């Protein structure tokens, strides 16, 4: 495990998947991350690369050749190398290997740069293209935040507060794929109450979210977090059935649509990074 800390917060990470696994306030001792209970969902904050979501039949085609990839790709299951830059900053790196080239015919460098400043943790995805051709990829986050319950606070006491949206238009998921059909959730004071049954039919997937900050709050105390993200065109909100967490998922990429032709270059949200190019996006968690 890798540890970062300052006077306000401390965080821990695994080299497998470069996964954030703990984010704790030193003042209160509260861990803002889900505990990874495998009875519900045994992950904490996986990185999604080189695809986000599922492929149609777990298959795509690149230059007329067939490849197979599981949902969300392979980065979360691979060991990253790690450079500890300081007590508050670390850089994790993954590059292609013999196994990745069998399922994804590209050389690549994927880096996760974590940094804590004050009461905030910043996560930056960096992708470098060493090829002499476009690098086709998607990347996304999947952090799971604890919805702490006890005799005084229940799951239904929590809500998500959006900084811009007055209503939410979400796409339905059909067999792990994105359906064209949408539904609308009207918000009161830009707030979405949390209930377990909200996620019984899988994630809420957004393509037109206006907000770039979502706050997790509750009606019983003043503790919570602000989740900040910019330039992520897609977003997912999810929880495992009856589990006391909620995932806030900023995505540059999305699952295949039900009518997708399975050509990787035609995949919605796929990024085509030019030769020798670099790309990055950042999200952050501000604890309070």
């Amino acid at each position: 495990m890798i540890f970062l800390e300052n006077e306000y917060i401390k965080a821990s990470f695994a080299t497998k998947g470069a996964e954030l696994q703990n984010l704790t306030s030193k003042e209160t001792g509260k861990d803002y991350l889900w505990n990874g209970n495998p009875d519900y969902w045994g992950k904490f904050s996986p990185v999604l690369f080189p695809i986000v979501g599922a492929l149609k039949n777990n298959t795509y085609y690149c230059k007329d050749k067939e490849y197979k990839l599981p949902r969300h790709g392979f980065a979360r299951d691979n060991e990253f190398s790690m450079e500890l830059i300081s007590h508050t900053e670390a850089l994790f790196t993954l590059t292609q290997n013999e196994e990745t080239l069998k399922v994804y015919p590209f050389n690549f460098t994927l880096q996760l740069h974590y940094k804590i400043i004050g009461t905030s943790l910043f996560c930056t995805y960096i992708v470098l293209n060493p090829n002499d051709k476009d690098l086709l990829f998607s990347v996304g986050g999947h952090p799971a935040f604890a919805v702490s319950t006890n005799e005084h606070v229940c799951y239904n006491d929590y809500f998500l507060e959006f900084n811009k949206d007055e209503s939410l238009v979400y796409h339905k998921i059909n067999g792990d794929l994105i359906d064209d059909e949408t539904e609308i959730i009207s918000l009161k004071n830009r707030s979405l109450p949390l209930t377990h049954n909200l996620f019984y039919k899988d994630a809420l997937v957004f393509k037109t979210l206006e907000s770039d900050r979502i706050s997790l709050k509750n009606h019983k105390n003043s503790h919570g977090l602000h989740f900040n993200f910019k330039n992520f065109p897609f977003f997912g909100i999810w929880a495992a059935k009856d589990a006391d967490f909620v995932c806030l998922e900023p995505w540059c990429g999305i699952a295949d649509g039900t009518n997708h032709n399975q050509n990787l270059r035609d995949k919605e949200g796929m990024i085509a990074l030019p030769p020798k190019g670099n790309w990055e996006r950042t999200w952050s968690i501000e604890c309070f």
Side-chain angles (χ1 to χ4, degrees), residues 1 5-6 28 40 49-50 54 66 142 154 157 179 207 217-218 237 266 268 276 282:
M1 296 294 292
E5 66 177 298
N6 63 11
T28 64
Y40 294 95
F49 177 92
E66 180 182 294
H142 203 311
C154 67
D157 289 322
D179 204 312
K207 295 184 180 182
K217 299 180 177 181
N218 71 79
I237 302 176
D266 296 336
E268 185 176 13
K276 313 307 177 186
T282 299

Side-chain angles (χ1 to χ4, degrees), residues 240-261:
K241 186 175 180 180
D242 295 329
D244 289 337
F245 70 81
V246 62
C247 286
L248 302 179
E249 307 176 38
W251 297 337
C252 289
I254 197 168
D256 280 353
T258 53
N259 298 315
H260 182 51
N261 65 12

Side-chain angles (χ1 to χ4, degrees), residues 2-214:
I2 308 302
F3 300 92
L4 301 179
E5 66 177 298
N6 63 11
E7 60 185 304
Y8 302 106
I9 58 176
K10 56 184 179 180
S12 66
F13 310 83
T15 53
K16 182 180 179 180
E19 187 178 21
L20 170 67
Q21 296 196 344
N22 171 276
L23 180 63
T24 300
S25 165
K26 287 189 171 182
E27 178 184 0
T28 64
K30 173 181 172 59
D31 185 358
Y32 287 84
L33 262 287
W34 161 243
N35 61 21
N37 182 346
D39 290 342
Y40 294 95
W41 188 62
K43 296 185 181 296
F44 305 85
S45 180
V47 56
L48 317 181
F49 177 92
I51 59 169
V52 172
L55 298 169
K56 191 174 183 178
N57 299 321
N58 292 320
T59 302
Y60 72 90
Y61 294 88
C62 184
K63 294 187 176 180
D64 297 323
K65 186 174 179 180
E66 180 182 294
Y67 297 90
K68 299 280 188 180
L69 273 177
R71 181 163 59 172
H72 297 324
F74 52 70
R76 58 185 178 169
D77 296 317
N78 273 259
E79 284 287 332
F80 283 63
S81 62
M82 192 280 301
E83 177 188 356
L84 188 62
I85 299 172
S86 71
H87 292 302
T88 60
E89 199 169 350
L91 183 68
F92 295 82
T93 301
L94 178 69
T95 59
Q96 74 283 343
N97 57 49
E98 183 178 346
E99 294 305 311
T100 68
L101 289 170
K102 291 176 182 177
V103 296
Y104 180 63
F106 297 94
N107 296 328
F108 67 90
T109 299
L110 168 66
Q111 296 182 315
L112 271 71
H113 179 203
Y114 291 105
K115 187 173 185 178
I116 56 176
I117 302 174
T119 58
S120 295
L121 169 76
F122 293 81
C123 173
T124 299
Y125 303 116
I126 303 166
V127 180
L128 308 176
N129 181 7
N131 304 281
D132 57 5
K133 60 182 179 180
D134 286 354
L135 174 61
L136 304 179
F137 73 95
S138 296
V139 69
H142 203 311
F145 298 105
V147 177
S148 302
T149 59
N150 54 45
E151 65 271 22
H152 304 296
V153 186
C154 67
Y155 197 88
N156 289 14
D157 289 322
Y158 286 80
F159 60 95
L160 297 176
E161 184 179 85
F162 296 77
N163 69 333
K164 295 180 182 179
D165 292 274
E166 302 289 345
S167 62
L168 302 174
V169 179
Y170 73 93
H171 286 256
K172 293 184 175 182
I173 295 179
N174 184 349
D176 292 335
L177 304 181
I178 302 300
D179 204 312
D180 289 336
E181 185 179 355
T182 60
E183 291 196 1
I184 299 176
I185 301 174
S186 296
L187 302 179
K188 183 178 180 180
N189 298 323
R190 299 197 304 274
S191 295
L192 174 66
L194 286 185
T195 61
H196 286 304
N197 63 11
L198 187 62
F199 308 109
Y200 280 180
K201 295 182 179 180
D202 214 321
L204 307 179
V205 176
F206 307 99
K207 295 184 180 182
T208 57
L209 201 65
E210 294 183 7
S211 296
D212 55 18
R213 168 182 279 194
I214 299 175

